[in-house]
């Protein structure tokens, strides 16, 4: 009886939050988006307004206390995650759309990095005192003497995504449409902040997105404008060829149908737009003009395909959404990985059961297209963004029964049995 009481206590939300307060590691506490009850209760709590263009990126900071978003208006906006009040507006100096933005760890949320359609990687200062931070202004906090945005690097192609190294929070990798993955170190001065090209992809293969393995801080997965999912080891030195990407690869995976299309020269997919990595050794990837796939990297049995070893087994397919109109859609595990989610061209957030591939929720989150989503680090909250000029905050509402299924909601979901007939328009 005592053990059952303890188990019930550990499954409670209050117990989980208390565990974080007393210093338990994040993966030891439960995220309640991992339960059917919370997924069914998600509803639109509030729209965070202020941007003057499409919102292309939204993220929580590491602590889950702030929300940061970037837009076509070239500004970053920050909101308090608890009150949902705007606390800062940052003019980044970008000349075109911002595609990715993140707060820099261990800076007391006073610095942010961003990249975008102008090909630039920029470092901006943030004043959480509510002041509009413009180029050349001075922060009232006294922590930073000059708020001018800093240009770290510039390329002739789109700069698409930024990810911090888990063990080195002042260093990050950036992906670009020119096929380069570059390493940046904010401990260096501006002239040497970019350590140059870390990886060079094959010609005409744009590096679109990447994510680190939560349990192996040296390995990361990368998506590109082809069907291949590549897992790299950041410690592996490049081969004899300058920065040869193949010399760092741990494994390569692809859905067999998409790989066959690539080999025949008749690809229907435009490659991967977003990837995610969970602590169970699973990789999630959403493909443009195709579906979303789950790969288990713990079981690797590759086959020789042309000059590349590729594993084409051990995947689950999630169908029903549409990823065609934009190239910024990401893919995310929710909670501790029981559910997976991505946005759709029909303006909905799609959520599937990871094990069965069945579609469990379809939530209206944009008038046009949902591109980005970010789950809270430990609370049952999700933020989304898309073509609309606002950020949507999804929270828990009343426990309501699920709406009845209609005949149009049937259909197969590919390898995972998802509900392929739902809302592709």
């Amino acid at each position: 009886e005592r053990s059952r009481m303890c188990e019930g206590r550990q499954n409670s939300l209050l117990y989980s939050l208390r565990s974080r307060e007393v210093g338990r590691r994040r993966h030891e506490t439960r995220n309640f988006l991992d339960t059917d009850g919370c997924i069914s209760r998600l509803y639109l709590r509030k729209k965070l307004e202020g941007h003057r263009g499409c919102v292309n990126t939204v993220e929580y900071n590491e602590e889950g206390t702030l929300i940061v978003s970037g837009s076509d208006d070239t500004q970053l906006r920050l909101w308090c995650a608890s009150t949902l009040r705007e606390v800062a507006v940052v003019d980044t100096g970008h000349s075109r759309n911002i595609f990715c933005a993140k707060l820099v760890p261990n800076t007391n949320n006073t610095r942010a990095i961003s990249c975008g359609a102008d090909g630039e990687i920029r470092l901006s200062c943030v004043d959480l005192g509510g002041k509009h931070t413009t180029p050349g202004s001075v922060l009232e906090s006294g922590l930073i003497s000059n708020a001018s945005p800093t240009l770290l690097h510039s390329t002739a192609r789109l700069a698409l995504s930024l990810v911090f190294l888990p063990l080195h929070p002042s260093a990050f990798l950036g992906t670009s449409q020119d096929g380069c993955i570059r390493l940046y170190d904010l401990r260096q001065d501006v002239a040497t902040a970019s350590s140059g090209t870390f990886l060079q992809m094959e010609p005409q293969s744009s590096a679109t997105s990447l994510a680190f393995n939560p349990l192996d801080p040296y390995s990361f997965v990368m998506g590109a404008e082809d069907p291949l999912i590549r897992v790299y080891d950041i410690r592996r030195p490049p081969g004899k060829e300058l920065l040869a990407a193949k010399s760092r690869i741990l494994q390569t995976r692809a859905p067999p149908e998409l790989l066959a299309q690539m080999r025949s020269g008749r690809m229907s997919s435009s490659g991967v737009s977003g990837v995610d990595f969970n602590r169970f050794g699973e990789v999630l990837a959403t493909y443009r003009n195709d579906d979303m796939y789950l790969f288990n990297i713990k079981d690797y049995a590759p086959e020789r395909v042309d000059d590349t070893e590729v594993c084409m087994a051990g995947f689950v397919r999630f169908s029903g959404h549409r990823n065609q109109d934009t190239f910024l859609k990401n893919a995310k595990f929710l909670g501790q990985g029981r559910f997976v989610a991505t946005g759709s061209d029909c303006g909905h957030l799609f959520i599937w059961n990871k094990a069965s591939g069945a579609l469990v929720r379809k939530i209206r989150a944009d008038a046009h297209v949902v591109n980005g989503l970010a789950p809270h680090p430990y609370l049952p909250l999700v933020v989304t963004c898309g073509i609309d000029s606002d950020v949507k905050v999804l929270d828990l509402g009343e426990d309501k029964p699920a709406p009845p299924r209609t005949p149009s909601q049937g259909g197969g979901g590919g390898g995972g049995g998802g509900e392929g007939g739902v809302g592709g328009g």
Side-chain angles (χ1 to χ4, degrees):
E1 181 67 26
R2 181 180 178 86
S3 64
R4 288 198 299 269
M5 291 177 62
C6 290
E7 182 181 356
R9 182 169 62 94
Q10 293 180 8
N11 284 337
S12 72
L13 179 59
L14 291 177
Y15 179 85
S16 182
L17 299 183
R18 179 57 181 163
S19 295
R20 285 194 51 79
E21 291 180 4
V22 298
R24 294 194 180 186
R25 288 174 293 180
R26 182 170 298 168
H27 72 265
E28 292 178 343
T29 60
R30 185 176 183 184
N31 186 305
F32 275 69
L33 276 178
D34 208 40
T35 66
D36 293 281
C38 282
I39 295 296
S40 66
R41 292 167 55 192
L42 283 175
Y43 80 108
L44 176 60
R45 174 183 171 185
K46 188 174 182 179
K47 299 179 182 180
L48 306 182
E49 300 175 331
H51 282 295
R52 300 183 305 278
C54 302
V55 182
N56 304 311
T57 178
V58 62
E59 297 276 352
Y60 282 99
N61 65 345
E62 279 195 330
E63 300 78 17
T65 58
L66 292 171
I67 300 168
V68 58
S69 61
S71 168
D72 287 359
D73 63 13
T74 73
Q75 289 183 333
L76 303 183
R77 290 180 181 265
L78 283 80
W79 286 269
C80 173
S82 58
T83 65
L84 301 182
R85 294 179 180 175
E86 187 177 276
V87 294
V89 181
V90 180
D91 289 325
T92 61
H94 283 286
S95 60
R96 296 180 64 191
N97 322 42
I98 293 175
F99 290 155
C100 183
K102 295 180 183 291
L103 287 166
V104 180
N106 298 341
T107 62
N108 199 28
N109 300 309
T110 58
R111 285 176 172 83
I113 56 172
S114 56
C115 66
D118 55 9
E120 295 181 348
I121 312 292
R122 286 184 167 268
L123 174 68
S124 299
C125 297
V126 178
D127 181 12
L128 295 178
K131 183 177 180 179
H132 189 139
T133 307
T134 55
S137 65
V138 178
L139 301 186
E140 297 174 350
S141 63
L143 295 175
I144 304 171
S145 59
N146 193 342
S148 298
T150 301
L151 176 63
L152 299 178
H153 189 80
S154 180
T155 71
R157 306 291 297 277
L158 306 181
L160 297 172
S161 66
L162 307 167
V163 178
F164 283 98
L165 275 60
L167 297 182
H168 304 280
S170 61
F172 63 94
L173 295 175
T175 67
S176 172
Q177 203 176 42
D178 61 9
C180 290
I181 299 179
R182 296 178 175 86
L183 177 65
Y184 303 86
D185 192 340
L186 299 178
R187 294 171 295 185
Q188 308 295 328
D189 57 33
V190 176
T192 59
S194 174
S195 302
T197 302
F198 175 73
L199 286 176
Q200 176 65 61
M201 298 296 298
E202 293 83 358
Q204 300 179 343
S205 183
S206 169
T208 57
S209 59
L210 61 88
F212 275 91
N213 186 341
L215 291 188
D216 179 5
Y218 299 105
S219 65
F220 64 90
V221 62
M222 194 197 69
E225 289 185 348
D226 61 29
L228 301 180
I229 296 295
R230 303 164 176 87
V231 180
Y232 292 94
D233 189 332
I234 199 171
R235 298 166 296 184
R236 285 195 175 187
K240 293 183 179 179
E241 297 181 7
L242 179 63
L243 303 162
K246 289 184 179 179
S247 67
R248 296 183 188 263
I249 290 182
L250 294 177
Q251 57 177 269
T252 305
R253 292 177 177 268
E257 181 181 344
L258 297 185
L259 187 62
Q261 291 178 7
M262 182 182 73
R263 297 181 67 199
S264 66
R266 299 190 300 271
M267 277 190 63
S268 61
S269 171
S270 303
V272 178
S273 65
V275 295
D276 199 14
F277 218 140
N278 73 8
R279 66 187 184 92
F280 302 110
E282 296 170 327
V283 167
L284 192 63
T286 181
Y287 286 79
R288 292 191 63 201
N289 301 307
D290 203 79
D291 295 328
M292 186 166 67
Y293 295 81
L294 176 78
F295 304 91
N296 190 335
I297 69 166
K298 292 182 291 185
D299 301 319
Y300 188 55
E303 303 175 28
R304 195 74 181 178
V305 179
D306 298 330
D307 61 343
T308 304
E309 288 192 344
V310 184
C311 180
M312 294 177 283
F315 68 91
V316 179
R317 184 175 183 175
F318 306 96
S319 302
H321 68 298
R322 189 176 70 185
N323 184 1
Q324 180 178 348
D325 294 345
T326 62
F327 58 88
L328 292 173
K329 293 185 184 69
N330 58 10
K332 291 292 182 181
F333 291 99
L334 298 185
Q336 295 189 12
R338 185 179 176 189
F339 300 96
V340 297
T342 191
S344 174
D345 293 344
C346 63
H348 288 79
L349 174 67
F350 281 64
I351 304 175
W352 294 265
N353 182 292
K354 183 189 72 177
S356 68
L359 180 65
V360 294
R361 282 298 304 274
K362 178 184 169 187
I363 305 171
R364 188 73 175 182
D366 197 274
H368 306 281
V369 177
V370 176
N371 281 325
L373 72 139
H376 192 277
Y378 56 91
L379 291 175
L381 304 169
V382 178
V383 288
T384 67
C385 64
I387 301 301
D388 291 346
S389 59
D390 55 35
V391 172
K392 310 293 195 305
V393 180
L394 304 181
D395 199 350
L396 297 188
E398 296 296 329
D399 194 2
K400 299 179 180 179
R405 289 167 55 89
T406 64
S408 64
Q409 290 177 316
E419 300 180 10
V422 180

